[in-house]
Amino acid sequence: MPTTIILGSQWGDEGKGKLSDILCQKAQICARAAGGHNAGHSVVANGVSYDFHLLPSGLINPNCENLIGSGVVVNVEAFFKELNALEEKGLKHVRDKILISDRAHVNLTLHAAVDRAEEAQLEGNKKIGTTGRGIGPSYATKASRKGIRVHEIFKEAVFEKKLRTLAEGYKKQFGELFEYDVEEEIARFREYRKLLPNFVCDGPNFIDQAQKSGRDLLIEGANALMLDIDYGTYPYVTSSNTGFGGAVTGLALDYKQIKEVIGVVKAYTTRVGGGPFKTEDLGEAGTKLQEIGREWGVSTGRRRRCGWLDLVVLKYSQLINNYTSWNLTKLDILDTFPTIKVAVAYKDKETGEILEHFPADLDYLDTLEVVYKEFEGWQTPISSVKTFDALPAQAQAYVKFIEEFTGIPVKWIGTGPARDDMIYL
């Protein structure tokens, strides 16, 4: 490889897990760099569907080691629950192939209670639409230097004192909105403390030794660029750096050994929760995309908002992440559309100015019109197609336009949910 990074280029749910599953068959190490168990994707392998939230999907490969990096916020309950679920589906090697960086911060039940309290205080369209799993509050306590790191779990007195202090502070802040039992969480961690030691390692040293020895690393991004805390549609974002920079710092990667940065992009666009979505279609097309594409979340079950591919977003995403190639997913979902629309620019209604960049000001963004280019649909199934030349001419034209517009080659094309439903260019 030797180090390959897979990143979401839109608002998440692009289908990163499928490419991760394919590439981790050759990888020696698969790692998560940021986020928490708010992420979610399904991988279909050997006829079995596996759901991943916190754990890297490299666990499907019995020869691949896996790391939850220092930039991740780790929910210990979710960690063991997910391991158990994978074992129940026949993956018996998983406990020998997963490690957690001792520098990662702990995501607690306390943080989920804070998440619910904060959302309850917001009204209407001011609600962020979080997963309710406490990811934002976890990163907030980290940034305010009040967080608990994984290595502190093993210092019982320190852990319990810090947790009680956090609970007292939030109780004063939110009052009755803060529904949480600190003693119950302390009791659970007394049990986790016995189970965790074999899973914890010095994360930066692990990565350093792996890169120095020339091992093949696959870095699995969570969420996507448009949910990045700095570069996404703030404040309707997650609370971590979901892009290239977050991958490097979240794992302490040697950037000189990074060979490829793959941007995963859905052939249309989806978004979960609140926030701007310029190409959202609230009519027949959006409903059709949602139903055919089975657009509801692995983590929450929430239905995703659906609309057309937005190349303004994609070019902005490329500006930040510097992708070397695209993985275009779910092209088959467009099989029955007679006409397919793609956003190529935004237009200022007052001045007539054409904008080809994505603005920071969401109020201004809301006033802009979308400039679309229309494509003739292919209206034939492509799920059995294995080569690019065998795709209908209209589908080929769609893919080539994306390449030409962004200046980045499409290297993989997803044509169905199974592992083999992928064209490699």
Side-chain angles (χ1 to χ4, degrees):
M1 285 180 168
T3 298
T4 298
I5 301 176
I6 298 174
L7 298 171
S9 64
Q10 297 159 302
W11 279 282
D13 307 309
E14 298 92 353
K16 299 179 287 295
K18 182 176 176 180
L19 183 62
S20 295
D21 173 47
I22 291 170
L23 295 185
C24 81
Q25 300 309 305
K26 297 180 180 179
Q28 293 169 295
I29 295 173
C30 183
R32 281 275 310 274
H37 67 308
N38 59 328
H41 56 250
S42 297
V43 174
V44 179
N46 302 317
V48 180
S49 179
Y50 302 95
D51 292 340
F52 291 91
H53 302 277
L54 176 65
L55 302 180
S57 57
L59 283 168
I60 290 178
N61 176 4
N63 300 313
C64 182
E65 292 185 77
N66 295 264
L67 176 70
I68 297 174
S70 304
V72 178
V73 289
V74 180
N75 184 285
V76 180
E77 181 180 4
F79 174 80
F80 285 113
K81 183 178 179 180
E82 204 168 323
L83 281 178
N84 291 338
L86 293 176
E87 288 177 325
E88 288 170 3
K89 291 191 174 184
L91 298 181
K92 301 303 182 184
H93 61 273
V94 290
R95 291 178 190 267
D96 298 324
K97 295 294 182 179
I98 181 69
L99 293 170
I100 305 170
S101 172
D102 55 3
R103 289 166 170 81
H105 277 249
V106 184
N107 167 260
L108 301 153
T109 302
L110 168 139
H111 292 119
V114 174
D115 208 343
R116 292 191 296 271
E118 288 181 335
E119 282 285 284
Q121 288 183 332
L122 299 173
E123 297 180 358
N125 61 7
K126 297 297 182 182
K127 291 184 181 294
I128 304 300
T130 75
T131 59
R133 299 189 175 185
I135 306 303
S138 296
Y139 279 107
T141 55
K142 173 182 176 178
S144 62
R145 303 179 300 281
K146 299 173 185 175
I148 299 172
R149 300 210 291 184
V150 167
H151 70 87
E152 292 179 298
I153 293 173
F154 305 108
K155 300 162 73 173
E156 185 172 356
V158 172
F159 176 86
E160 294 184 6
K161 181 179 179 181
K162 292 184 77 168
L163 183 54
R164 286 196 173 97
T165 300
L166 285 170
E168 289 170 7
Y170 286 126
K171 185 64 177 177
K172 290 177 181 177
Q173 181 179 352
F174 293 109
E176 293 183 358
L177 290 176
F178 182 62
E179 299 178 356
Y180 172 70
D181 185 343
V182 67
E183 298 305 326
E184 187 274 336
E185 181 139 53
I186 284 173
R188 278 190 290 110
F189 269 88
R190 286 173 181 156
E191 295 303 312
Y192 295 148
R193 198 169 285 116
K194 303 171 188 176
L195 302 173
L196 270 175
N198 290 338
F199 296 106
V200 177
C201 73
D202 183 325
N205 185 63
F206 178 88
I207 290 292
D208 180 57
Q209 294 302 313
Q211 290 196 298
K212 283 180 176 176
S213 61
R215 302 181 75 187
D216 292 335
L217 273 67
L218 179 66
I219 313 306
E220 191 175 28
N223 310 121
L225 189 279
M226 298 306 290
L227 294 173
D228 185 274
I229 187 68
D230 292 318
Y231 296 107
T233 49
Y234 187 90
Y236 301 95
V237 293
T238 192
S239 299
S240 61
N241 288 115
T242 59
F244 176 80
V248 173
T249 60
L251 287 162
L253 294 174
D254 178 356
Y255 69 91
K256 298 186 294 298
Q257 293 200 36
I258 297 170
K259 179 183 179 183
E260 194 161 16
V261 182
I262 304 164
V264 184
V265 52
K266 199 175 285 185
Y268 49 102
T269 307
T270 62
R271 177 165 197 170
V272 172
F277 181 176
K278 293 301 292 181
T279 60
E280 182 174 15
D281 190 296
L282 299 175
E284 181 182 350
T287 301
K288 188 175 177 181
L289 287 168
Q290 190 180 74
E291 293 300 325
I292 298 174
R294 297 179 61 82
E295 294 295 350
W296 43 85
V298 174
S299 286
T300 65
R302 290 184 296 177
R303 285 185 172 265
R304 299 171 186 141
R305 301 156 61 192
C306 296
W308 302 110
L309 180 62
D310 190 334
L311 292 182
V312 180
V313 165
L314 221 56
K315 285 193 77 170
Y316 172 71
S317 185
Q318 158 62 12
L319 172 72
I320 307 302
N321 281 340
N322 294 288
Y323 307 114
T324 57
S325 62
W326 297 118
N327 168 205
L328 182 67
T329 67
K330 302 187 82 165
L331 186 63
D332 56 302
I333 304 304
L334 301 178
D335 283 352
T336 60
F337 285 82
T339 302
I340 300 166
K341 296 166 68 176
V342 176
V344 294
Y346 302 151
K347 183 178 179 180
D348 189 308
K349 297 177 186 178
E350 293 186 3
T351 67
E353 179 187 0
I354 299 295
L355 278 79
E356 296 179 352
H357 65 274
F358 195 88
D361 187 337
L362 301 190
D363 292 332
Y364 177 56
L365 177 68
D366 188 53
T367 68
L368 301 176
E369 291 182 348
V370 180
V371 179
Y372 285 105
K373 179 178 175 64
E374 294 189 352
F375 290 82
E376 179 187 357
W378 42 96
Q379 299 189 81
T380 187
I382 62 169
S383 58
S384 61
V385 175
K386 300 302 179 185
T387 65
F388 182 75
D389 290 340
L391 284 172
Q394 297 93 330
Q396 291 187 34
Y398 188 73
V399 174
K400 288 177 180 177
F401 182 78
I402 294 170
E403 291 186 314
E404 292 166 1
F405 193 93
T406 62
I408 305 298
V410 174
K411 195 171 181 179
W412 293 270
I413 302 172
T415 57
R419 178 187 284 177
D420 295 335
D421 295 333
M422 183 78 87
I423 296 172
Y424 176 71
L425 280 73

